[in-house]
Amino acid sequence: MQLKVPADFRADETMQLRVSDIPDIPENRSGKSEKAQKSEKPDKASRSGNRRKAPRTPFLVQLSATLGPRLAPLLAFLAPYVARLAPYARKLRPLYPRPGRTGWRRWIPSWRQSLGGFFASIGLTSMFLVVAYAATDVPENLNTYATQQDNVYFWADGTPMARTGWVQRQAMPLKDIPEDVRWAVLAAENASFYSDPGISFKGISRALFRTLGQGDTQGGSTITQQYVKNVYLNQNQTVSRKFTEAMISLKLDNQMSKDDILEGYLNTSWFGRGTYGIQRAAQAYYGKDVSELNASEAAFLASLLKGAGLYDPTLNSANRARAVERWTWTLDRMVEIGKLSKTERAKYKKFPEPLKSNPLYDTGEQSDYLVELASQYAKKSGGISDKDFDLGGYQIYTTFDKKREDQLTEEVTAARKKALKDDPKKAKTTHYGAASVDADGRILAVYGGPDHRTQGYNESNATTVQAGSAFTPFVYAAALENGIHKTRDGDTTPVTPESLYNGDNEVPVTTPEGPYWDRNGRKVSAKNDGERSYGQISLRRAMELSVNTPFMQLGMDAGLDVVRKTAEDSGFLSSSIGAQVPLMSLGSSTPSAIRMASGYSTFAADGRHTEPYSVRKVTKNGSTVPLDTPAARRVVGAEVAQQVSSALADNFRASHPSDVPAGQQTAAAASDLSEVAGKAGTTQNDTAAWYVGTAKAVSTAVVVYRIDLTKSLEPLPLEGIAGTTDDSVPYGIWSGAMSPLG
């Protein structure tokens, strides 16, 4: 502040404020004259305990001495006014204990003091609240726990399959939460939500009284306060936490819209059964999305906000009685506030009984393998980082068919148990991989192992053992599609199913220049099962009878690079393809069960291949996440695909005649034989046994092999653990898995 003085004012010594300029203010409150007071003699107490105080320096003089001559003009201007107000200020100054009173009366404040104290407390409290409000900031970061969600996986039919994450929470936008659901919660918790300032003074006072006076706590918080507690603060019931909650609530109410606050509250509140948020509550108690809830179901869920342990009716009869009472009150309250018509209310006479248990169970055993496949595909196809995926909030709709999954798991489990009974020592190192893939690329079922919690190694997705003779259909397809070369640089010669090749056992493999020699200087030849020789045989017949030697030579004639490309285009991973030597045609490649089934599905799809995928849709908090869904692409012509399928069908009929014993179910008995095609696969060193077949456009691959994971990853000889040609374990699993469904 600056003091303006007239231009003609001249500074002189009068600007110095002197003590004599300000009259001394007498401290006479008794009404006696100063002279009379001096003439009075002090009593005994005064003589012994009181001493005359030295005259105090006037306040303005002290201020002038402290601040210097810069404020002297201002102080000189204010001095007369201060002198006039000083007597009144002295009178207002409370004297306590009160003079002129004796005994306990000295300690009783006067009405002036009481009134002054009341207004002073109001002023100080108001000032404190204003300062506290100004000093309180809404935290920028929400509680990590409040923002964490789970990821939920669904079967192909849309029913819940599994969930992952520390909490069961799925955020839903307010627009996807029905009006009846919102108002059921508001009617039960905070009907004045849209008009209150974010806090309830009555509720805070009651809670504060109980906290301070009785040592416990009580509610009364608005939805805004509860939301603040959920996402910004901890759950400690202390006065300081409640005060901070109120300040943040006031400020948040001015910064966020009511709809945003309500949305946040509905998505972060605890509803019991391990769930957070109205979406998870709807699924946990009624097995449906929140968008499908009616007012009656919503009224029950709203009661859980008072304490799920007291209102979940499935826990005990007392809980049920409380839940019914609260449900009735909430519906009546909705009518009272005009958010539910009496006609609509009359429809809800029966209590909406919730499910007995939460269908969103944790993963375990076989479902873990499914979750692993689906999560990997969802992240890759949806461009989701590991960090974002771990924060949760995703709904993953898989392609897995629950019936097929259960059937496949049952068949493999039965085979595993039988092996443990027949040959416990070998069975401990035996592994079973299996997968079913539709012609359109959907992975319908997999068997990954006995229990993911003890063996994370997924046997259906492992590229560990060779494909063996189950690979020959791809050699056949490559030759039918592209032809063969009789000379190194000559023209291509067409090949048909009736083309003849030498089917003798151990016939040497030739090139246009002569025999093919390995690095050890020996001629390379192939062996047939049982070391049988067939002489000149057509390719179709060779496929039907599983004769190996023609296909090793056919691969050389078609070109191993062509065979490799056909296999990769059919779904084999390039990393799993064997070296481009003659043995590649007899299955030196190491595809997984999923890739083998996917490869055979190419023939069922008339020569078009779709990369196998396990997720058909991903959403996050109700919004669809774009997926890079694979598209079908042409591998071989439709006629070639049909010729391969026809040869595989012949193989199936020859190996497994339809005249099975009465009562024994097989894929042949369950499906029309014209739609069933398949082939066994064996390796020359007896380390793996396969059966791969297609029925009604669904291809299933089953492999049995031995590896001692405690020692190495080298395959071990099966030594009969996979059965015999007439009683093949892989075929038994395949047949049992395909029989009921086709």
Side-chain angles (χ1 to χ4, degrees):
M1 177 183 293
Q2 295 181 350
L3 181 65
K4 294 183 180 181
V5 297
D8 57 348
F9 183 82
R10 297 180 62 84
D12 57 15
E13 69 277 8
T14 59
M15 292 183 64
Q16 302 299 322
L17 189 65
R18 296 184 293 273
V19 175
S20 59
D21 293 333
I22 303 177
D24 192 14
I25 301 174
E27 297 184 10
N28 181 8
R29 291 185 175 274
S30 62
K32 297 181 181 181
S33 66
E34 207 174 83
K35 184 176 181 180
Q37 288 181 346
K38 290 181 180 180
S39 63
E40 291 182 356
K41 293 182 179 180
D43 57 18
K44 185 176 181 180
S46 299
R47 289 195 302 268
S48 61
N50 295 331
R51 294 183 179 179
R52 184 177 179 83
K53 296 180 181 179
R56 289 174 297 179
T57 305
F59 171 71
L60 293 180
V61 176
Q62 297 178 18
L63 192 62
S64 176
T66 303
L67 300 178
R70 288 181 297 175
L71 293 180
L74 175 61
L75 298 178
F77 175 78
L78 294 176
Y81 300 101
V82 173
R84 293 177 187 176
L85 294 175
Y88 301 100
R90 291 291 177 85
K91 289 182 179 181
L92 291 175
R93 187 179 64 131
L95 296 177
Y96 195 82
R98 296 174 63 191
R101 300 289 190 273
T102 59
W104 59 270
R105 292 181 178 83
R106 299 176 60 224
W107 304 99
I108 302 300
S110 66
W111 67 269
R112 292 176 182 172
Q113 292 172 332
S114 299
L115 187 63
F118 173 74
F119 284 113
S121 63
I122 292 179
L124 290 174
T125 301
S126 300
M127 183 181 298
F128 172 74
L129 292 176
V130 169
V131 172
Y133 178 83
T136 300
D137 292 323
V138 176
E140 294 182 1
N141 298 322
L142 304 180
N143 289 338
T144 302
Y145 194 74
T147 57
Q148 189 175 8
Q149 303 179 60
D150 57 358
N151 294 320
V152 181
Y153 299 78
F154 299 89
W155 293 104
D157 62 2
T159 57
M161 183 184 78
R163 72 172 186 88
T164 58
W166 293 105
V167 297
Q168 290 191 44
R169 179 190 287 114
Q170 286 284 301
M172 292 293 288
L174 194 64
K175 64 181 178 62
D176 292 336
I177 302 175
E179 288 275 350
D180 284 346
V181 178
R182 302 183 216 172
W183 280 106
V185 173
L186 291 174
E189 292 293 306
N190 186 189
S192 63
F193 170 71
Y194 280 100
S195 59
D196 65 38
I199 64 172
S200 169
F201 293 101
K202 181 179 179 181
I204 290 176
S205 300
R206 182 173 64 248
L208 183 62
F209 172 75
R210 291 182 62 86
T211 301
L212 293 177
Q214 300 185 22
D216 62 357
T217 59
Q218 174 140 334
S221 300
T222 64
I223 278 180
T224 305
Q225 289 176 260
Q226 294 180 54
Y227 173 63
V228 167
K229 180 177 66 174
N230 289 343
V231 302
Y232 295 119
L233 306 174
N234 55 45
Q235 303 297 314
N236 296 336
Q237 300 286 359
T238 62
V239 174
S240 62
R241 203 273 296 156
K242 288 180 180 291
F243 179 78
T244 304
E245 172 192 297
M247 290 296 102
I248 295 178
S249 298
L250 283 171
K251 210 152 201 178
L252 192 70
D253 194 73
N254 291 325
Q255 295 180 4
M256 289 179 65
S257 69
K258 288 288 189 179
D259 282 349
D260 288 342
I261 294 174
L262 179 60
E263 178 183 309
Y265 172 74
L266 291 174
N267 284 320
T268 57
S269 296
W270 166 255
F271 284 88
R273 293 193 178 183
T275 63
Y276 289 85
I278 192 71
Q279 168 72 350
R280 275 292 163 271
Q283 293 172 339
Y285 289 93
Y286 290 108
K288 60 177 70 173
D289 287 341
V290 64
S291 60
E292 301 172 8
L293 293 177
N294 58 36
S296 177
E297 294 163 337
F300 162 69
L301 293 181
S303 69
L304 298 171
L305 293 168
K306 287 294 183 185
L310 296 175
Y311 289 91
D312 186 343
T314 62
L315 299 180
N316 52 59
S317 58
N319 272 21
R320 191 182 188 283
R322 279 190 290 266
V324 172
E325 181 182 1
R326 184 72 177 175
W327 166 77
T328 303
W329 177 86
T330 300
L331 289 174
D332 292 340
R333 178 66 170 156
M334 291 178 70
V335 175
E336 182 182 338
I337 64 177
K339 297 303 177 182
L340 186 67
S341 67
K342 293 183 178 180
T343 304
E344 186 74 11
R345 172 66 180 92
K347 297 179 182 179
Y348 304 126
K349 296 180 180 180
K350 185 179 180 181
F351 179 70
E353 298 288 349
L355 301 174
K356 292 184 178 180
S357 61
N358 187 349
L360 295 174
Y361 50 82
D362 287 330
T363 58
E365 298 186 354
Q366 199 59 215
S367 58
D368 271 343
Y369 298 107
L370 306 181
V371 166
E372 181 183 52
L373 286 174
S375 62
Q376 290 174 353
Y377 182 84
K379 288 187 285 188
K380 181 179 179 180
S381 181
I384 306 170
S385 67
D386 289 339
K387 179 181 178 181
D388 288 342
F389 197 81
D390 290 343
L391 288 175
Y394 293 94
Q395 300 87 43
I396 298 96
Y397 296 86
T398 73
T399 60
F400 303 126
D401 185 307
K402 191 175 189 309
K403 291 181 179 179
R404 289 185 180 275
E405 179 64 33
D406 291 344
Q407 188 68 25
L408 181 62
T409 300
E410 181 180 335
E411 293 297 326
V412 177
T413 301
R416 188 185 291 275
K417 288 182 178 178
K418 185 177 185 303
L420 284 170
K421 180 180 179 181
D422 296 343
D423 195 338
K425 184 177 180 180
K426 292 178 183 176
K428 289 181 180 179
T429 57
T430 303
H431 299 267
Y432 303 77
S436 294
V437 179
D438 194 274
D440 61 9
R442 290 177 296 127
I443 302 175
L444 302 179
V446 301
Y447 180 85
D451 190 336
H452 191 276
R453 291 168 295 190
T454 57
Q455 178 188 295
Y457 171 63
N458 188 338
E459 294 169 346
S460 72
N461 201 32
T463 55
T464 307
V465 294
Q466 295 181 354
S469 55
F471 185 80
T472 56
F474 301 100
V475 180
Y476 187 35
L480 292 176
E481 179 71 17
N482 301 282
I484 61 174
H485 293 274
K486 295 294 186 178
T487 60
R488 182 68 62 187
D489 299 320
D491 295 334
T492 300
T493 302
V495 170
T496 70
E498 304 307 322
S499 296
L500 297 177
Y501 269 76
N502 191 339
D504 288 342
N505 185 53
E506 293 192 355
V507 59
V509 176
T510 63
T511 68
E513 291 77 24
Y516 185 94
W517 303 82
D518 64 14
R519 293 182 178 180
N520 296 322
R522 291 177 297 193
K523 292 181 180 180
V524 175
S525 61
K527 291 183 179 181
N528 293 325
D529 289 342
E531 298 186 356
R532 289 181 59 184
S533 293
Y534 295 86
Q536 293 294 307
I537 188 172
S538 70
L539 292 175
R540 177 188 178 95
R541 185 67 173 164
M543 182 63 68
E544 177 185 348
L545 300 180
S546 295
V547 183
N548 293 334
T549 53
F551 293 102
M552 181 178 280
Q553 184 60 53
L554 184 65
M556 296 296 293
D557 294 345
L560 295 179
D561 56 337
V562 175
V563 173
R564 178 188 182 98
K565 184 177 187 306
T566 301
E568 290 181 353
D569 290 347
S570 297
F572 280 56
L573 298 176
S574 59
S575 58
S576 70
I577 301 294
Q580 288 187 198
V581 296
L583 281 176
M584 188 179 80
S585 296
L586 292 187
S588 62
S589 300
T590 57
S592 66
I594 292 176
R595 290 291 170 173
M596 184 65 93
S598 176
Y600 271 58
S601 72
T602 303
F603 308 130
D606 288 335
R608 296 177 66 84
H609 176 73
T610 304
E611 276 291 287
Y613 64 98
S614 56
V615 177
R616 58 185 177 85
K617 184 175 73 171
V618 175
T619 62
K620 183 175 184 181
N621 301 335
S623 301
T624 301
V625 176
L627 293 181
D628 185 13
T629 305
R633 65 179 185 276
R634 175 66 63 186
V635 178
V636 295
E639 183 179 359
V640 169
Q642 291 167 7
Q643 289 171 340
V644 175
S645 294
S646 177
L648 291 173
D650 291 343
N651 182 287
F652 175 79
R653 285 191 291 268
S655 303
H656 310 283
S658 59
D659 54 338
V660 294
Q664 180 178 342
Q665 288 188 337
T666 65
S671 304
D672 183 79
L673 289 180
S674 63
E675 298 183 51
V676 180
K679 189 181 186 308
T682 57
T683 59
Q684 290 186 340
N685 49 10
D686 189 37
T687 56
W690 290 81
Y691 194 85
V692 190
T694 303
K696 293 183 179 179
V698 176
S699 297
T700 298
V702 180
V703 60
V704 179
Y705 58 97
R706 287 181 61 216
I707 290 180
D708 189 347
L709 295 175
T710 63
K711 295 181 178 179
S712 71
L713 294 178
E714 288 298 319
L716 302 173
L718 288 171
E719 298 178 346
I721 198 71
T724 63
T725 302
D726 296 330
D727 186 21
S728 167
V729 171
Y731 174 76
I733 295 172
W734 180 90
S735 179
M738 300 292 278
S739 293
L741 306 167

